[in-house]
Amino acid sequence: MLAYTIKRLLGAIPTLFILLTLSFILVHTAPGSPFSMAREMPPEVKANLEAKYHLDEPIYEQYGRYLLNIAHFDFGPSYQYKDTTVNDLIAEGFPVSLTIGGFALLLALVLGVPLGMLAAVRQNRITDYLCSAIALGGISMPSFVIAPLLILWAAVYNDWLPAGGVDSWQSYILPVITLAAMFTAYILRIMRASTIEVLRSNFVRTARAKGLSTARVYGVHILPAAILPVVSYLGPAAAAILTGSVVIEEIFGMPGIGRFFVNGALNRDYTLVLGITLFYGLIVIAFNLVVDLIYGWLDPRVTY
C-alpha cells in the first residue's frame, strides 16, 4: 500500500503541471488585465504597477517566475486584495469551505445510505416510491433554486435561521442543507441499486440460511458490500462539493475560497485564480487517493 501511495503521489506531479500550464495560458490570453477593471489611471501609474508585478515581462518569463514561486509553495501576491498573498486568502477561506463541504458530505451520507437501503428493501412499494421521488427532486433542483427557497422559508418568513454570513454556527445550516441536497439524491440512488444487487447474492442467501439475525445480515454482510459503489463515488463527490460551494458561498455571503475564486476571475486576479485552481487540483487528487485506499480496505479482493 505504501508503494502504491508513493506512486500515486509522484504521478500527480505531471497532472498538476499540465493543470497549471493550461490555466496559466488561459488566464493570460483572456481579454483585459488585473488593472483594466479598475477606474481609469494615468499610463505611468499603470506601467509602474505592471512592472511591480512583472506583468510587463514576456509571457514565458512570467511563467518561469511563477513556476519558481510554486516550487517554494508561494502562490504569489493578490492583485486585488492589497497587501495580501494568495496563500493568506486560501488559509482564510478554506476553513469556511471545508466546514460547509464536510458537513454537507456527512449529511448526504447519513441520509442517502439508509434511505437507499430502505428503498431497496421495500422495492416497488410506497416507501421505494417516496425515496425515489426525493432523489428525483434533489437531482432536478439546482442549488441556486433551493438556496433562495430555504432563505425565504427559514430566514425571511419564519426567522429561524440567519440568511447569510458567518456570525454563528447556525449560519452554516442552510448552506449545508442546500449543498447536501443533490449529493444525498445521488448517494440514495447508488445505494438503492447496489443494495438490490447485493440482496440477490449467494452469500446473503447463505447468511440467512444459517439463521443469522436480520441486523447481522444487513450490518455485517449486506452493508459493506453495498456501500462500495458509494465509496467510489465519494472521491469526485467530495471534490465536487468543495468546488460546488462557489455558488453557495456567493448566495449566502460566506467568505470561502469559492467566493474568492469568483472575485478573482471577475477582476482578472491571475495569481488568485491560478492558486485556487491548483489548490482544487490538489484536493481532487488527495480525495481520490484516500477513496482508493478506503475501497481496498473495505474490499479484500482489491490489490494495489
Side-chain angles (χ1 to χ4, degrees):
M1 185 180 295
L2 179 61
Y4 172 79
T5 304
I6 295 174
K7 182 179 178 181
R8 285 287 298 271
L9 292 176
L10 292 176
I13 296 176
T15 303
L16 292 174
F17 177 77
I18 294 173
L19 173 65
L20 177 61
T21 303
L22 291 176
S23 301
F24 188 90
I25 294 172
L26 288 174
V27 297
H28 281 79
T29 54
S33 72
F35 309 111
S36 64
M37 304 296 292
R39 62 183 181 180
E40 193 66 27
M41 62 180 65
E44 59 273 14
V45 175
K46 184 176 180 180
N48 289 335
L49 285 173
E50 291 180 347
K52 176 183 177 181
Y53 293 109
H54 307 285
L55 296 177
D56 58 339
E57 298 177 351
I59 189 70
Y60 61 87
E61 291 186 10
Q62 296 183 47
Y63 179 66
R65 186 183 301 275
Y66 191 74
L67 284 181
L68 185 61
N69 291 337
I70 291 298
H72 293 87
F73 302 99
D74 180 13
F75 291 128
S78 170
Y79 300 144
Q80 297 298 322
Y81 296 88
K82 304 303 180 184
D83 302 322
T84 306
T85 65
V86 176
N87 295 58
D88 294 334
L89 293 175
I90 292 176
E92 177 185 343
F94 183 62
V96 177
S97 299
L98 183 62
T99 301
I100 298 173
F103 279 106
L105 184 61
L106 180 62
L107 180 61
L109 285 171
V110 169
L111 294 178
V113 170
L115 287 178
M117 290 190 68
L118 180 62
V121 173
R122 309 287 294 179
Q123 186 181 7
N124 297 328
R125 299 180 185 178
I126 185 64
T127 306
D128 185 20
Y129 297 145
L130 288 175
C131 291
S132 299
I134 293 173
L136 182 61
I139 294 173
S140 302
M141 295 184 65
S143 57
F144 58 82
V145 173
I146 298 175
L149 293 176
L150 286 177
I151 291 174
L152 284 173
W153 173 66
V156 177
Y157 293 152
N158 296 295
D159 196 23
W160 290 339
L161 296 169
V166 287
D167 298 329
S168 62
W169 64 269
Q170 290 94 336
S171 303
Y172 288 92
I173 295 177
L174 293 183
V176 166
I177 294 175
T178 304
L179 190 58
M182 182 180 67
F183 295 95
T184 300
Y186 278 115
I187 291 175
L188 192 159
R189 289 170 63 91
I190 294 171
M191 194 66 189
R192 177 185 180 277
S194 177
T195 303
I196 289 174
E197 182 179 353
V198 172
L199 286 172
R200 298 168 180 169
S201 301
N202 292 328
F203 69 90
V204 174
R205 298 191 187 96
T206 303
R208 285 173 171 168
K210 289 181 178 179
L212 298 180
S213 64
T214 302
R216 184 171 179 81
V217 170
Y218 280 94
V220 177
H221 296 277
I222 295 177
L223 180 59
I227 205 172
L228 290 177
V230 175
V231 173
S232 298
Y233 174 70
L234 286 183
I241 278 181
L242 288 177
T243 55
S245 63
V246 172
V247 177
I248 304 301
E249 291 168 13
E250 278 293 310
I251 294 175
F252 290 97
M254 310 193 77
I257 54 176
R259 196 177 186 192
F260 288 139
F261 182 81
V262 172
N263 292 334
L266 292 176
N267 294 300
R268 306 292 193 274
D269 195 339
Y270 297 155
T271 51
L272 182 57
V273 172
L274 289 173
I276 293 179
T277 300
L278 189 61
F279 186 72
Y280 275 145
L282 287 169
I283 290 175
V284 172
I285 292 172
F287 273 119
N288 285 330
L289 175 59
V290 170
V291 166
D292 286 346
L293 296 178
I294 294 176
Y295 195 99
W297 174 67
L298 290 174
D299 190 353
R301 297 170 297 179
V302 175
T303 59
Y304 295 100

